[in-house]
Amino acid sequence: FGTSCCPVNVVRTIPSVPGMQWAVQGDAAVACLLQSGTVQLRIADRAVTLRMETGWPWDGTVRVVVEEVEEGGALPFTIRVRVPNGARAVPAPGGLYEYADDSPAILATDWVEERVAWSAGSSAEWEFPLPVRRVIARDEVAACRGRVAIERGPIVYCIEGVDHDGRVEDLWLPDDAALTPRWEPDLLGGVTVLEGVGLRAVRAADGSVQSVDAPIRMIPYYAWANRGSGGMAVWIPRSPALARLPAMPTLATDAPPSASHVFELDTLAALHDGLHPESSGDHSVPRHTFWPRLGTEEWLRYDFAAPTQVSAVRVYWFDDTGLGRCRVPANAQVETLAADGAWQAVNAFVPLGVAINAWNEQSFAPVTTTAIRLRIRLQEEFSAGMLEWEVR
């Protein structure tokens, strides 16, 4: 890990959280954070012990119990609780984000409070609303245009491939689709999921695009990637126009891929998932990279279930110039597996192209083979990667 700032800040912040929950302001006990626990305060020069009971952010009930008041009779003071984001009407219209709905359940105040003469055993209780809300971004945010994000209270939700047959890119969510909260105690340590019915864009046999009902299950965004690798989306299309369908199948679609190396945060499935990138730096589609290998010779391979005639390939290279150290390779050669187990170049004198932001295609005399591979030489001091590899 290259820099120590993040781990150190986590270690420093987590033990500090109890001190951030409560404060004393004059003769008021002020709760700034909602979490169950007990605190000892001094109010009007007397010791007071308070206990907060809450299931926030999954449940909106907040109860404060006065466990103990130092001798001297009931003590008049104010218990004041901050209304958290998600239960009040923020963000304001005109900002970077705004709510697409106008939920009547949202509170208009920043604080709720109760002032009485408190004694041991007395309590106050508030109910904060937790509506499911749709968030949209300003139209200038091109990546989010025509898409919606979902919040419930302070939690931002996402859809994850593991709940949707491994794919999220072809799902879209109509504005009138209802999403119902459901508590799942055994999922990811205990979370509230949102469930409903959305739509999945599908390609018919004639190539036309249709939409069919698809169950939608949303989990908290912070909890994704705990059940295996796969796609994820926070900003979900509001219409089928933005749903991304896999391209028409090629010989590579059902061929198992393998590689000399796969970076742990990438996936070989990216090679033949049919998701066409918009550029070599497109981070919205899965990718394969050889990171952190630099300047080495590597390979990528497809194996066919039976001898298959191949006559063309096309490749879209990954390149993260400006962000990382992956570049298009120095060169690449297409090879097929001969019957004697040797690899043969399909055109020994014409390497595969390594153009950026474009498909690199190569056609050759038809070859019947059980496997095809790309032999790839990385640029010195750089790694390389790929967004899609088709075989025809």
Side-chain angles (χ1 to χ4, degrees):
F1 191 83
T3 174
S4 65
C5 64
C6 296
V8 171
N9 280 333
V10 170
V11 172
R12 180 174 58 190
T13 300
I14 295 300
S16 303
V17 170
M20 302 174 184
Q21 182 178 6
W22 286 93
V24 175
Q25 185 178 35
D27 65 348
V30 182
C32 302
L33 301 177
L34 303 185
Q35 59 184 18
S36 296
T38 302
V39 65
Q40 293 81 40
L41 305 171
R42 291 199 69 82
I43 301 175
D45 205 31
R46 292 170 63 184
V48 176
T49 301
L50 304 176
R51 184 179 77 252
M52 178 178 285
E53 301 171 349
T54 181
W56 186 266
W58 315 119
D59 180 89
T61 302
V62 178
R63 184 168 182 256
V64 178
V65 179
V66 180
E67 287 196 336
E68 186 177 355
V69 177
E70 191 175 25
E71 292 183 2
L75 177 63
F77 65 93
T78 300
I79 296 178
R80 183 177 299 130
V81 177
R82 184 181 68 87
V83 178
N85 293 351
R88 55 190 173 97
V90 293
L96 183 60
Y97 306 108
E98 62 182 33
Y99 290 117
D101 50 12
D102 185 21
S103 175
I106 295 298
L107 301 178
T109 182
D110 292 339
W111 299 89
V112 293
E113 62 181 48
E114 187 165 335
R115 182 179 181 86
V116 298
W118 303 95
S119 56
S122 54
S123 65
E125 185 172 298
W126 296 272
E127 186 70 31
F128 294 129
L130 282 169
V132 176
R133 306 200 70 182
R134 284 168 159 79
V135 181
I136 56 175
R138 290 177 64 102
D139 195 56
E140 294 90 334
V141 185
C144 302
R145 191 180 299 143
R147 300 173 183 269
V148 64
I150 304 298
E151 289 182 2
R152 181 176 182 262
I155 303 297
V156 175
Y157 279 77
C158 71
I159 52 176
E160 195 173 14
V162 67
D163 297 315
H164 302 92
D165 298 324
R167 307 188 315 279
V168 298
E169 296 84 1
D170 52 0
L171 293 171
W172 64 281
L173 191 65
D175 290 343
D176 59 355
L179 295 169
T180 303
R182 184 165 66 85
W183 171 248
E184 291 202 11
D186 299 325
L187 176 65
L188 302 169
V191 298
T192 293
V193 301
L194 304 178
E195 296 179 329
V197 178
L199 290 164
R200 186 185 293 276
V202 297
R203 195 183 302 277
D206 61 2
S208 63
V209 177
Q210 304 171 359
S211 292
V212 298
D213 287 349
I216 295 288
R217 186 172 190 247
M218 307 193 75
I219 67 167
Y221 169 60
Y222 76 80
W224 78 285
N226 281 283
R227 297 174 293 165
S229 62
M232 181 276 296
V234 171
W235 290 95
I236 306 168
R238 300 167 70 185
S239 71
L242 292 177
R244 302 185 72 164
L245 276 74
M248 296 298 288
T250 74
L251 296 176
T253 302
D254 296 321
S258 56
S260 55
H261 176 73
V262 184
F263 179 46
E264 61 184 6
L265 299 183
D266 297 328
T267 173
L268 277 172
L271 300 178
H272 62 170
D273 60 12
L275 298 176
H276 288 178
E278 296 180 358
S279 69
S280 291
D282 189 346
H283 289 263
S284 70
V285 296
R287 64 175 177 261
H288 162 271
T289 71
F290 297 108
W291 181 260
R293 297 187 178 182
L294 310 175
T296 53
E297 182 172 289
E298 307 291 342
W299 55 264
L300 295 171
R301 171 174 172 169
Y302 285 135
D303 283 275
F304 303 114
T308 301
Q309 186 180 86
V310 297
S311 60
V313 301
R314 68 172 190 162
V315 165
Y316 212 107
W317 299 106
F318 175 68
D319 188 298
D320 61 359
T321 298
L323 296 174
R325 295 181 64 189
C326 281
R327 302 292 185 272
V328 295
N331 57 69
Q333 181 69 54
V334 181
E335 300 177 332
T336 56
L337 187 63
D340 60 3
W343 289 100
Q344 297 181 345
V346 297
N347 193 332
F349 302 103
V350 182
L352 180 66
V354 290
I356 192 173
N357 300 324
W359 285 100
N360 293 266
E361 303 186 34
Q362 186 175 74
S363 299
F364 44 87
V367 179
T368 298
T369 183
T370 57
I372 187 170
R373 78 174 183 180
L374 301 178
R375 187 159 48 84
I376 302 165
R377 167 63 66 177
L378 311 187
Q379 293 189 50
E380 291 298 324
E381 300 185 2
F382 289 104
S383 191
M386 188 179 293
L387 299 173
E388 194 74 14
W389 174 21
E390 296 182 347
V391 180
R392 301 182 189 280

